[in-house]
Amino acid sequence: MDEKIEDKSEESKKNHLIYYRSLTKIITDIETEMSQKGEPAIQEHLTSRIEAIEKDRKRIRELFPDIKKEEWDDNSS
């Protein structure tokens, strides 16, 4: 299987930071929704969505290991 060559340029890094932070917001929104929905099927679906998003966030963090945790979580930019 061909391995995808990831773009690690400064522009890509900036775009991935923005995307990573948007994923963080999505997780927060899903967690809020989970606290309001009691049905097991909905809870299971939302948990699966969070797990998938967390995998994507991990992939992004591994792509740019030089970025500190504080930078990933900084929403001021």
Coordinates of all heavy atoms in Angstrom, one line a residue:
M1 N 0.8 -1.2 0.0 CA 0.0 0.0 0.0 C 0.9 1.2 0.0 O 1.8 1.3 0.8 CB -0.9 0.0 1.2 CG -1.8 1.1 1.4 SD -2.9 0.7 2.8 CE -3.8 2.1 2.9
D2 N 0.6 2.2 -0.8 CA 1.3 3.4 -0.9 C 1.1 4.3 0.3 O 0.0 4.4 0.8 CB 1.0 4.2 -2.1 CG 1.4 3.6 -3.4 OD1 2.3 2.8 -3.4 OD2 0.8 3.8 -4.5
E3 N 2.2 4.8 0.8 CA 2.1 5.7 2.0 C 1.9 7.1 1.5 O 2.7 7.6 0.7 CB 3.3 5.5 2.9 CG 3.0 5.8 4.3 CD 4.2 5.5 5.2 OE1 4.7 4.3 5.2 OE2 4.7 6.4 5.8
K4 N 1.0 7.8 2.1 CA 0.7 9.2 1.7 C 1.9 10.1 2.3 O 2.2 10.0 3.5 CB -0.6 9.6 2.3 CG -1.0 11.0 1.9 CD -2.3 11.4 2.5 CE -2.6 12.8 2.2 NZ -3.9 13.2 2.9
I5 N 2.4 10.9 1.5 CA 3.4 11.8 2.0 C 2.7 13.0 2.5 O 2.0 13.7 1.8 CB 4.4 12.2 0.8 CG1 5.1 11.0 0.3 CG2 5.4 13.3 1.3 CD1 6.0 11.2 -0.9
E6 N 2.9 13.3 3.8 CA 2.3 14.4 4.5 C 3.0 15.7 4.3 O 4.3 15.7 4.3 CB 2.1 14.1 6.0 CG 1.2 13.0 6.3 CD -0.2 13.2 6.1 OE1 -0.6 14.4 5.9 OE2 -1.0 12.3 6.2
D7 N 2.3 16.8 4.1 CA 2.9 18.1 3.9 C 3.2 18.6 5.3 O 2.3 18.8 6.2 CB 1.9 19.0 3.2 CG 2.4 20.4 3.0 OD1 3.6 20.7 3.4 OD2 1.6 21.3 2.6
K8 N 4.5 18.9 5.6 CA 4.9 19.4 6.9 C 5.4 20.8 6.9 O 6.1 21.3 7.7 CB 5.9 18.5 7.5 CG 5.4 17.1 7.8 CD 6.4 16.3 8.6 CE 5.9 14.9 8.9 NZ 6.7 14.1 9.8
S9 N 4.9 21.6 5.9 CA 5.3 23.0 5.7 C 4.7 23.8 6.8 O 3.8 23.4 7.5 CB 4.9 23.5 4.3 OG 3.5 23.6 4.3
E10 N 5.2 25.0 6.9 CA 4.7 26.0 7.9 C 3.2 26.2 7.6 O 2.4 26.4 8.5 CB 5.5 27.3 7.9 CG 6.8 27.2 8.7 CD 6.6 26.7 10.1 OE1 5.8 27.3 10.9 OE2 7.3 25.8 10.6
E11 N 2.8 26.4 6.4 CA 1.4 26.6 6.0 C 0.5 25.4 6.4 O -0.5 25.6 7.0 CB 1.3 26.9 4.5 CG -0.1 27.2 4.0 CD -0.6 28.5 4.5 OE1 0.2 29.4 4.9 OE2 -1.8 28.7 4.5
S12 N 1.1 24.2 6.1 CA 0.3 23.0 6.5 C 0.2 22.9 8.1 O -0.9 22.6 8.6 CB 1.0 21.8 6.0 OG 0.4 20.6 6.5
K13 N 1.3 23.3 8.7 CA 1.3 23.3 10.2 C 0.2 24.2 10.7 O -0.6 23.9 11.6 CB 2.7 23.7 10.7 CG 2.8 23.7 12.2 CD 4.3 24.1 12.5 CE 4.5 24.2 14.0 NZ 5.9 24.6 14.3
K14 N 0.2 25.4 10.2 CA -0.9 26.4 10.6 C -2.3 25.9 10.3 O -3.1 26.0 11.2 CB -0.6 27.7 9.8 CG -1.6 28.8 10.1 CD -1.4 30.0 9.2 CE -2.6 30.9 9.2 NZ -2.5 31.9 8.2
N15 N -2.5 25.3 9.2 CA -3.8 24.8 8.8 C -4.2 23.6 9.7 O -5.4 23.5 10.1 CB -3.9 24.4 7.3 CG -3.8 25.6 6.4 OD1 -4.2 26.7 6.8 ND2 -3.3 25.4 5.2
H16 N -3.2 22.8 10.0 CA -3.5 21.6 10.9 C -3.9 22.1 12.3 O -4.7 21.5 13.0 CB -2.3 20.6 10.9 CG -2.4 19.7 9.8 ND1 -1.8 19.9 8.6 CD2 -2.9 18.4 9.7 CE1 -2.0 18.9 7.8 NE2 -2.7 18.0 8.4
L17 N -3.2 23.2 12.8 CA -3.5 23.7 14.1 C -5.0 24.2 14.1 O -5.7 24.0 15.1 CB -2.6 24.9 14.5 CG -1.3 24.5 15.2 CD1 -0.3 25.7 15.2 CD2 -1.5 24.0 16.6
I18 N -5.3 24.9 13.1 CA -6.7 25.4 13.0 C -7.7 24.3 13.0 O -8.7 24.3 13.7 CB -6.9 26.3 11.7 CG1 -6.1 27.6 11.9 CG2 -8.4 26.6 11.5 CD1 -5.9 28.4 10.6
Y19 N -7.4 23.3 12.2 CA -8.3 22.1 12.1 C -8.4 21.3 13.4 O -9.4 21.0 13.9 CB -7.8 21.2 11.0 CG -8.6 19.9 10.8 CD1 -10.0 20.0 10.5 CD2 -8.0 18.7 10.9 CE1 -10.7 18.8 10.4 CE2 -8.8 17.5 10.8 CZ -10.1 17.6 10.5 OH -10.8 16.4 10.3
Y20 N -7.2 21.2 14.1 CA -7.1 20.5 15.3 C -8.0 21.2 16.4 O -8.8 20.5 17.1 CB -5.7 20.4 15.8 CG -5.5 19.7 17.1 CD1 -5.2 18.4 17.2 CD2 -5.6 20.4 18.4 CE1 -5.0 17.7 18.4 CE2 -5.4 19.7 19.6 CZ -5.1 18.4 19.6 OH -4.9 17.8 20.7
R21 N -7.9 22.5 16.4 CA -8.8 23.2 17.3 C -10.2 23.2 17.0 O -11.1 23.1 17.9 CB -8.3 24.7 17.4 CG -6.9 24.8 18.0 CD -6.3 26.2 17.9 NE -5.0 26.2 18.4 CZ -4.0 27.0 18.0 NH1 -4.3 28.0 17.1 NH2 -2.8 27.0 18.5
S22 N -10.6 23.1 15.7 CA -12.0 22.9 15.4 C -12.5 21.5 15.8 O -13.6 21.4 16.2 CB -12.2 23.1 13.9 OG -11.7 22.0 13.1
L23 N -11.6 20.5 15.8 CA -12.0 19.2 16.2 C -12.2 19.2 17.7 O -13.1 18.5 18.3 CB -10.9 18.2 15.9 CG -10.7 17.9 14.4 CD1 -9.5 16.9 14.2 CD2 -12.0 17.3 13.8
T24 N -11.4 20.0 18.5 CA -11.6 20.1 19.9 C -13.0 20.7 20.2 O -13.7 20.2 21.1 CB -10.5 21.0 20.5 OG1 -9.2 20.4 20.2 CG2 -10.6 21.2 22.0
K25 N -13.4 21.7 19.4 CA -14.7 22.3 19.6 C -15.8 21.3 19.3 O -16.8 21.2 20.1 CB -14.8 23.5 18.7 CG -16.2 24.1 18.6 CD -16.4 25.4 19.2 CE -17.8 26.0 19.1 NZ -18.9 25.3 19.5
I26 N -15.6 20.5 18.3 CA -16.6 19.5 17.9 C -16.8 18.5 19.1 O -17.9 18.1 19.4 CB -16.3 18.8 16.6 CG1 -16.4 19.8 15.4 CG2 -17.1 17.6 16.4 CD1 -15.8 19.3 14.1
I27 N -15.7 18.1 19.6 CA -15.7 17.1 20.8 C -16.5 17.7 21.9 O -17.4 17.1 22.5 CB -14.3 16.7 21.2 CG1 -13.7 15.7 20.1 CG2 -14.4 16.0 22.6 CD1 -12.3 15.4 20.4
T28 N -16.2 19.0 22.2 CA -16.9 19.7 23.3 C -18.4 19.7 23.0 O -19.2 19.5 23.9 CB -16.4 21.1 23.5 OG1 -15.0 21.0 23.8 CG2 -17.1 21.9 24.6
D29 N -18.8 20.1 21.8 CA -20.2 20.1 21.4 C -20.9 18.7 21.5 O -22.0 18.6 22.0 CB -20.3 20.6 20.0 CG -20.0 22.1 19.8 OD1 -19.8 22.8 20.9 OD2 -19.8 22.5 18.7
I30 N -20.2 17.7 21.1 CA -20.7 16.3 21.2 C -20.9 16.0 22.7 O -21.9 15.4 23.1 CB -19.8 15.3 20.5 CG1 -19.8 15.6 19.0 CG2 -20.2 13.9 20.8 CD1 -18.8 14.7 18.2
E31 N -19.9 16.3 23.5 CA -20.0 16.0 25.0 C -21.2 16.7 25.6 O -21.9 16.1 26.4 CB -18.7 16.3 25.7 CG -17.6 15.4 25.3 CD -16.2 15.9 25.9 OE1 -16.1 17.1 26.2 OE2 -15.4 15.0 26.0
T32 N -21.5 17.9 25.1 CA -22.7 18.6 25.6 C -23.9 17.9 25.2 O -24.8 17.8 26.0 CB -22.6 20.1 25.1 OG1 -21.5 20.8 25.6 CG2 -23.9 20.9 25.5
E33 N -23.9 17.5 23.9 CA -25.1 16.8 23.4 C -25.3 15.5 24.2 O -26.4 15.1 24.5 CB -24.9 16.5 21.9 CG -26.1 15.9 21.3 CD -25.9 15.7 19.8 OE1 -25.0 16.2 19.2 OE2 -26.8 15.0 19.2
M34 N -24.2 14.8 24.5 CA -24.3 13.5 25.2 C -24.9 13.7 26.6 O -25.7 12.9 27.1 CB -22.9 12.9 25.4 CG -22.4 12.3 24.1 SD -20.7 11.6 24.3 CE -21.1 10.2 25.3
S35 N -24.6 14.9 27.2 CA -25.2 15.1 28.5 C -26.7 15.4 28.5 O -27.4 15.3 29.5 CB -24.4 16.3 29.2 OG -24.8 17.5 28.6
Q36 N -27.2 15.7 27.3 CA -28.6 16.0 27.1 C -29.4 14.8 26.6 O -30.6 14.8 26.7 CB -28.8 17.2 26.2 CG -28.1 18.4 26.8 CD -28.0 19.6 25.8 OE1 -28.4 19.4 24.6 NE2 -27.5 20.7 26.2
K37 N -28.7 13.9 26.0 CA -29.4 12.7 25.4 C -29.2 11.5 26.2 O -28.1 11.1 26.5 CB -28.9 12.4 24.0 CG -28.9 13.6 23.1 CD -30.2 14.0 22.5 CE -30.1 15.1 21.5 NZ -31.3 15.8 21.2
G38 N -30.3 10.8 26.6 CA -30.2 9.7 27.5 C -30.3 8.3 26.8 O -30.0 7.3 27.4
E39 N -30.7 8.3 25.5 CA -30.9 7.1 24.8 C -29.5 6.4 24.6 O -28.6 7.0 24.1 CB -31.6 7.3 23.5 CG -33.0 7.9 23.7 CD -33.6 8.3 22.4 OE1 -33.5 7.5 21.4 OE2 -34.2 9.4 22.3
P40 N -29.4 5.1 24.9 CA -28.2 4.4 24.8 C -27.6 4.4 23.3 O -26.4 4.5 23.1 CB -28.5 2.9 25.2 CG -29.7 3.1 26.1 CD -30.5 4.3 25.6
A41 N -28.5 4.2 22.4 CA -28.1 4.2 21.0 C -27.4 5.5 20.6 O -26.4 5.5 19.9 CB -29.2 3.9 20.0
I42 N -28.0 6.6 21.0 CA -27.4 7.9 20.7 C -26.1 8.1 21.4 O -25.1 8.6 20.9 CB -28.4 9.0 21.1 CG1 -29.7 9.0 20.2 CG2 -27.8 10.4 21.0 CD1 -30.8 9.9 20.6
Q43 N -26.1 7.7 22.7 CA -24.8 7.8 23.5 C -23.7 7.0 22.8 O -22.6 7.5 22.7 CB -25.0 7.3 24.9 CG -26.0 8.1 25.8 CD -25.4 9.4 26.2 OE1 -24.2 9.5 26.4 NE2 -26.2 10.4 26.4
E44 N -24.0 5.8 22.4 CA -23.0 4.9 21.7 C -22.5 5.6 20.4 O -21.3 5.6 20.1 CB -23.6 3.6 21.4 CG -22.6 2.6 20.9 CD -23.2 1.2 20.7 OE1 -24.1 0.8 21.5 OE2 -22.8 0.5 19.7
H45 N -23.5 6.1 19.6 CA -23.1 6.8 18.4 C -22.2 8.0 18.7 O -21.1 8.2 18.0 CB -24.3 7.2 17.6 CG -24.0 8.1 16.5 ND1 -23.5 7.6 15.3 CD2 -24.2 9.4 16.3 CE1 -23.3 8.6 14.4 NE2 -23.7 9.7 15.0
L46 N -22.5 8.8 19.6 CA -21.7 10.0 19.9 C -20.4 9.6 20.5 O -19.4 10.3 20.1 CB -22.5 10.9 20.9 CG -23.8 11.5 20.4 CD1 -24.5 12.3 21.5 CD2 -23.5 12.4 19.2
T47 N -20.3 8.6 21.3 CA -19.0 8.1 21.8 C -18.1 7.6 20.6 O -16.9 7.9 20.6 CB -19.2 6.9 22.8 OG1 -20.0 7.4 23.9 CG2 -17.9 6.4 23.3
S48 N -18.7 7.0 19.7 CA -18.0 6.5 18.5 C -17.4 7.7 17.7 O -16.3 7.7 17.2 CB -18.8 5.6 17.6 OG -19.2 4.5 18.2
R49 N -18.2 8.7 17.6 CA -17.8 9.9 16.9 C -16.6 10.6 17.6 O -15.6 11.0 16.9 CB -18.9 10.9 16.7 CG -20.0 10.5 15.7 CD -21.1 11.5 15.5 NE -20.5 12.9 15.2 CZ -21.2 14.0 15.3 NH1 -22.4 14.0 15.8 NH2 -20.7 15.1 14.9
I50 N -16.7 10.7 18.9 CA -15.6 11.2 19.7 C -14.3 10.4 19.5 O -13.2 11.0 19.3 CB -15.9 11.4 21.2 CG1 -17.0 12.5 21.3 CG2 -14.7 11.7 22.0 CD1 -17.5 12.6 22.8
E51 N -14.4 9.1 19.5 CA -13.3 8.2 19.3 C -12.6 8.4 18.0 O -11.4 8.5 17.9 CB -13.7 6.8 19.5 CG -14.0 6.4 21.0 CD -14.6 5.0 21.1 OE1 -14.9 4.3 20.1 OE2 -14.9 4.7 22.3
A52 N -13.4 8.6 16.9 CA -12.9 8.8 15.6 C -12.2 10.2 15.5 O -11.1 10.3 14.9 CB -14.0 8.8 14.6
I53 N -12.8 11.2 16.1 CA -12.1 12.5 16.1 C -10.8 12.5 16.9 O -9.8 13.1 16.5 CB -13.1 13.6 16.7 CG1 -14.3 13.7 15.7 CG2 -12.4 14.9 16.9 CD1 -15.5 14.5 16.3
E54 N -10.8 11.8 18.0 CA -9.6 11.7 18.8 C -8.5 11.0 18.0 O -7.3 11.4 18.1 CB -9.8 10.9 20.1 CG -10.6 11.7 21.2 CD -9.8 12.9 21.7 OE1 -8.6 13.1 21.4 OE2 -10.4 13.6 22.5
K55 N -8.8 10.0 17.2 CA -7.8 9.4 16.3 C -7.2 10.4 15.4 O -6.0 10.4 15.1 CB -8.4 8.2 15.6 CG -8.6 7.0 16.4 CD -9.2 5.8 15.6 CE -9.6 4.6 16.5 NZ -10.2 3.6 15.7
D56 N -8.1 11.2 14.8 CA -7.6 12.2 13.9 C -6.7 13.2 14.6 O -5.7 13.6 14.1 CB -8.8 12.9 13.2 CG -8.4 13.5 11.9 OD1 -7.4 13.2 11.3 OD2 -9.2 14.4 11.4
R57 N -7.1 13.6 15.8 CA -6.3 14.6 16.5 C -4.9 14.0 16.9 O -3.9 14.6 16.8 CB -7.0 15.0 17.8 CG -8.2 15.9 17.6 CD -9.0 16.3 18.8 NE -8.5 16.0 20.1 CZ -8.3 16.9 21.1 NH1 -8.7 18.1 20.9 NH2 -7.9 16.6 22.2
K58 N -4.9 12.7 17.2 CA -3.6 12.0 17.5 C -2.7 12.0 16.3 O -1.5 12.3 16.3 CB -3.9 10.6 18.0 CG -2.7 9.9 18.3 CD -2.9 8.4 18.8 CE -1.6 7.8 19.1 NZ -1.7 6.3 19.2
R59 N -3.3 11.7 15.1 CA -2.6 11.7 13.9 C -2.0 13.0 13.6 O -0.8 13.1 13.2 CB -3.5 11.3 12.7 CG -2.8 11.2 11.3 CD -3.8 11.2 10.2 NE -4.7 12.3 10.1 CZ -4.4 13.5 9.6 NH1 -3.2 13.7 9.1 NH2 -5.3 14.4 9.5
I60 N -2.7 14.1 13.8 CA -2.2 15.4 13.6 C -1.1 15.7 14.5 O 0.0 16.3 14.1 CB -3.3 16.5 13.7 CG1 -4.3 16.3 12.5 CG2 -2.8 17.9 13.6 CD1 -5.6 17.0 12.7
R61 N -1.2 15.4 15.8 CA -0.2 15.7 16.8 C 1.1 14.9 16.4 O 2.2 15.4 16.6 CB -0.6 15.3 18.2 CG -1.6 16.2 18.8 CD -1.8 15.9 20.3 NE -2.2 14.6 20.6 CZ -3.4 14.1 20.7 NH1 -4.5 14.9 20.6 NH2 -3.6 12.8 21.0
E62 N 1.0 13.7 16.0 CA 2.1 12.9 15.6 C 2.8 13.5 14.3 O 4.0 13.3 14.1 CB 1.7 11.4 15.4 CG 1.4 10.7 16.7 CD 0.9 9.3 16.5 OE1 0.5 8.9 15.3 OE2 0.7 8.6 17.5
L63 N 2.0 14.1 13.5 CA 2.6 14.7 12.2 C 3.5 15.9 12.6 O 4.4 16.2 11.9 CB 1.4 15.2 11.4 CG 1.7 15.7 10.0 CD1 2.5 14.6 9.1 CD2 0.4 16.1 9.3
F64 N 3.1 16.6 13.7 CA 3.9 17.8 14.1 C 4.3 17.6 15.6 O 3.8 18.3 16.4 CB 3.1 19.0 13.9 CG 2.7 19.3 12.5 CD1 1.4 18.9 12.0 CD2 3.6 19.9 11.6 CE1 1.1 19.2 10.7 CE2 3.2 20.1 10.3 CZ 2.0 19.8 9.8
P65 N 5.3 16.7 15.8 CA 5.6 16.4 17.2 C 6.3 17.6 17.9 O 6.4 17.6 19.1 CB 6.6 15.2 17.1 CG 7.1 15.3 15.7 CD 6.0 15.9 14.9
D66 N 6.8 18.6 17.1 CA 7.5 19.7 17.7 C 6.6 20.7 18.4 O 7.0 21.6 19.1 CB 8.4 20.4 16.6 CG 7.5 20.9 15.5 OD1 6.7 20.1 15.0 OD2 7.7 22.0 15.0
I67 N 5.3 20.6 18.1 CA 4.3 21.6 18.7 C 4.0 21.1 20.1 O 3.7 20.0 20.4 CB 3.0 21.6 17.8 CG1 3.3 22.1 16.4 CG2 2.0 22.5 18.5 CD1 2.1 22.1 15.5
K68 N 4.1 22.1 21.0 CA 3.8 21.8 22.4 C 2.3 21.7 22.7 O 1.5 22.3 22.0 CB 4.4 22.9 23.3 CG 6.0 22.9 23.2 CD 6.5 24.0 24.1 CE 8.0 23.9 24.2 NZ 8.7 24.9 23.5
K69 N 2.0 21.0 23.7 CA 0.6 20.8 24.1 C -0.2 22.2 24.2 O -1.3 22.4 23.8 CB 0.4 20.0 25.4 CG -1.0 19.8 25.8 CD -1.1 19.0 27.1 CE -2.5 18.7 27.5 NZ -3.6 19.4 27.0
E70 N 0.5 23.2 24.8 CA -0.1 24.5 25.0 C -0.5 25.1 23.7 O -1.5 25.8 23.6 CB 0.9 25.4 25.8 CG 1.3 25.0 27.2 CD 2.3 23.9 27.2 OE1 3.1 23.8 26.3 OE2 2.3 23.1 28.2
E71 N 0.4 24.9 22.7 CA 0.0 25.4 21.3 C -1.2 24.8 20.7 O -2.0 25.4 20.1 CB 1.2 25.3 20.4 CG 2.4 26.1 20.7 CD 3.6 25.9 19.8 OE1 3.6 26.5 18.7 OE2 4.4 25.1 20.1
W72 N -1.3 23.4 20.9 CA -2.5 22.7 20.4 C -3.7 23.3 21.0 O -4.8 23.4 20.3 CB -2.4 21.2 20.7 CG -1.3 20.5 19.8 CD1 -0.3 19.8 20.3 CD2 -1.3 20.3 18.4 NE1 0.4 19.3 19.3 CE2 -0.2 19.6 18.1 CE3 -2.1 20.8 17.4 CZ2 0.2 19.2 16.8 CZ3 -1.8 20.5 16.1 CH2 -0.7 19.7 15.8
D73 N -3.7 23.6 22.3 CA -4.9 24.0 23.0 C -5.1 25.5 23.0 O -6.2 25.9 23.5 CB -4.8 23.4 24.5 CG -4.7 21.9 24.5 OD1 -5.2 21.3 23.6 OD2 -4.1 21.4 25.5
D74 N -4.2 26.3 22.5 CA -4.3 27.7 22.5 C -5.4 28.1 21.5 O -5.2 27.9 20.3 CB -3.0 28.4 22.2 CG -3.1 29.9 22.2 OD1 -4.0 30.4 22.8 OD2 -2.2 30.5 21.7
N75 N -6.4 28.8 22.0 CA -7.5 29.3 21.1 C -7.4 30.8 20.8 O -8.3 31.3 20.2 CB -8.9 28.9 21.7 CG -9.1 27.4 21.6 OD1 -8.8 26.8 20.6 ND2 -9.7 26.9 22.7
S76 N -6.3 31.4 21.2 CA -6.2 32.8 21.0 C -5.8 33.3 19.6 O -6.0 34.4 19.2 CB -5.2 33.4 22.0 OG -3.9 32.9 21.7
S77 N -5.4 32.3 18.8 CA -4.9 32.7 17.4 C -6.0 32.5 16.4 O -7.0 32.0 16.6 CB -3.7 31.9 17.0 OG -3.8 30.6 17.2

